């Protein structure tokens, strides 16, 4: 019976994901600005509702991430276009910093072999060079220096997050690390598509893919938290058993 309830909950959780994707596809195709503005703030609350039905977490970085991400999603409803871009960039930047604060302690550079360390360094340098080129192009498009600066720091934080998540995955190759890596990649490509729509070529398909990838990123993050909670509980059970074993010894 318990397994059946868990399976039903998973179906409902996936159903919520599917519903959000459908709503955003409809909004992107119809190009209804008000509809799009009102659906994006639903992402985190909808996932949180279904998540808390059967799961709990009290990890501060994740709580702050959801808070800042929700504020970033909702900023379009409270600010004009010019202020909205700056406010959302600040909120998303802070949300990425929260994820960085969680994953950085798990990144043990000294534990990598030389080949992986060199590979990660090369990937980081390539991404930073690409960002520098994009920054130069946007400099001629974006007149506001503050908006350009916010683009830079948000992009750098996201690139560093992806590289560190990739490094942690290479070091352990566990289910948790692959979920976290996929989540960061979803956020990175979503952010890239968002800037393409904002400053280069606007098309409903770019907006649709941006929203879908952002939703998938949140979906994988919630799955990561579930896996992380399971492993954390197993470690607590092992620690509780250790004193009894020592006494018997």
């Amino acid at each position: 019976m318990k397994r059946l309830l868990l399976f039903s909950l998973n179906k409902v959780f996936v159903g919520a994901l599917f519903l959000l994707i459908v709503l955003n596809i409809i909004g992107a195709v119809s190009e209804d600005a008000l509809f799009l503005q009102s659906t994006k703030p639903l992402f985190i609350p909808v996932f949180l509702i279904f998540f808390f039905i059967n799961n709990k977490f009290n990890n501060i970085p994740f709580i702050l991430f959801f808070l800042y991400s929700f504020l970033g999603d909702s900023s379009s409803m409270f600010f004009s276009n010019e202020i909205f871009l700056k406010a959302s960039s600040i909120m998303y930047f802070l949300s990425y910093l929260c994820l960085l604060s969680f994953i950085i302690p798990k990144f043990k550079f000294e534990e990598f072999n030389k080949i992986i360390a060199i590979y990660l360094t090369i990937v980081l340098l390539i991404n930073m060079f690409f960002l520098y080129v994009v920054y130069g192009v946007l400099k001629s498009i974006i007149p506001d220096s503050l908006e350009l600066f916010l683009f830079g720091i948000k992009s750098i934080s996201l690139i560093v997050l992806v590289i560190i998540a990739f490094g942690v995955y290479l070091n352990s190759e566990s289910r948790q690390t692959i979920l976290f890596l996929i989540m960061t990649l979803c956020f990175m490509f979503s952010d890239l598509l968002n800037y393409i729509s904002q400053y280069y070529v606007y098309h409903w398909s770019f907006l649709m893919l941006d929203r879908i990838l952002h939703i998938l990123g949140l979906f994988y993050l919630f799955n990561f938290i579930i896996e992380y909670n399971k492993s954390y509980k197993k470690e607590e059970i092992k620690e509780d058993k250790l004193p009894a074993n020592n006494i018997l010894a």
Side-chain angles (χ1 to χ4, degrees):
M1 184 67 180
K2 188 176 180 180
R3 289 183 180 180
L4 180 63
L5 289 173
L6 288 173
F7 181 67
S8 299
L9 178 64
N10 289 333
K11 288 198 296 184
V12 172
F13 196 67
V14 173
L17 169 71
F18 180 74
L19 174 63
L20 288 175
I21 289 176
V22 169
L23 287 174
N24 281 273
I25 290 175
I26 294 171
V29 174
S30 64
E31 298 185 358
D32 189 330
L34 182 60
F35 185 80
L36 288 169
Q37 287 177 358
S38 58
T39 53
K40 193 170 186 181
L42 294 175
F43 293 174
I44 291 176
V46 168
F47 278 126
L48 280 174
I49 288 170
F50 290 106
F51 179 84
F52 278 118
I53 291 174
N54 199 53
N55 300 277
K56 294 180 180 180
F57 73 96
N58 56 2
N59 194 292
I60 292 176
F62 291 137
I63 293 172
L64 291 176
F65 167 82
F66 291 128
L67 174 62
Y68 290 131
S69 187
F70 174 73
L71 292 174
D73 294 343
S74 307
S75 56
S76 63
M77 301 181 67
F78 304 104
F79 301 106
S80 61
N81 286 336
E82 294 180 0
I83 302 176
F84 149 66
L85 292 172
K86 297 173 187 175
S88 62
S89 293
I90 292 172
M91 292 299 107
Y92 290 135
F93 168 66
L94 292 173
S95 69
Y96 298 148
L97 287 185
C98 293
L99 294 178
L100 276 170
S101 69
F102 172 82
I103 199 67
I104 282 178
K106 304 180 186 305
F107 184 81
K108 309 294 183 182
F109 193 79
E110 65 277 1
E111 295 181 4
F112 295 110
N113 61 49
K114 292 182 179 179
I115 296 176
I116 293 178
I118 293 171
Y119 176 71
L120 289 174
T121 304
I122 292 173
V123 171
L124 177 61
L125 291 174
I126 291 173
N127 279 276
M128 295 305 292
F129 175 76
F130 175 74
L131 178 61
Y132 175 77
V133 172
V134 174
Y135 185 88
V137 174
L138 289 178
K139 199 172 182 179
S140 60
I141 300 174
I142 304 175
D144 194 328
S145 59
L146 177 58
E147 186 177 334
L148 191 62
F149 171 75
L150 292 173
F151 160 78
I153 61 172
K154 186 179 75 167
S155 300
I156 290 172
S157 65
L158 191 51
I159 289 173
V160 173
L161 179 63
V162 171
I163 297 299
I164 292 178
F166 187 47
V168 173
Y169 165 71
L170 290 176
N171 200 31
S172 62
E173 295 186 4
S174 64
R175 177 178 169 80
Q176 287 185 42
T177 56
I178 189 62
L179 286 171
F180 197 91
L181 177 61
I182 294 173
M183 176 267 296
T184 59
L185 291 173
C186 286
F187 286 150
M188 184 180 71
F189 286 112
S190 171
D191 196 65
L192 178 62
L193 287 167
N194 179 263
Y195 270 94
I196 290 175
S197 299
Q198 291 287 342
Y199 300 109
Y200 288 99
V201 179
Y202 176 83
H203 194 271
W204 66 266
S205 60
F206 293 150
L207 181 61
M208 178 186 69
L209 289 173
D210 164 27
R211 292 294 184 89
I212 291 175
L213 286 170
H214 191 76
I215 294 170
L216 287 174
L218 291 172
F219 179 76
Y220 281 110
L221 177 58
F222 277 106
N223 277 276
F224 168 80
I225 295 172
I226 292 171
E227 292 295 320
Y228 179 78
N229 284 343
K230 287 179 182 177
S231 63
Y232 185 75
K233 288 178 181 178
K234 287 180 181 178
E235 289 178 4
E236 283 188 333
I237 292 171
K238 288 181 181 178
E239 289 178 358
D240 290 339
K241 290 181 178 179
L242 280 176
N245 292 333
N246 291 333
I247 292 171
L248 291 173

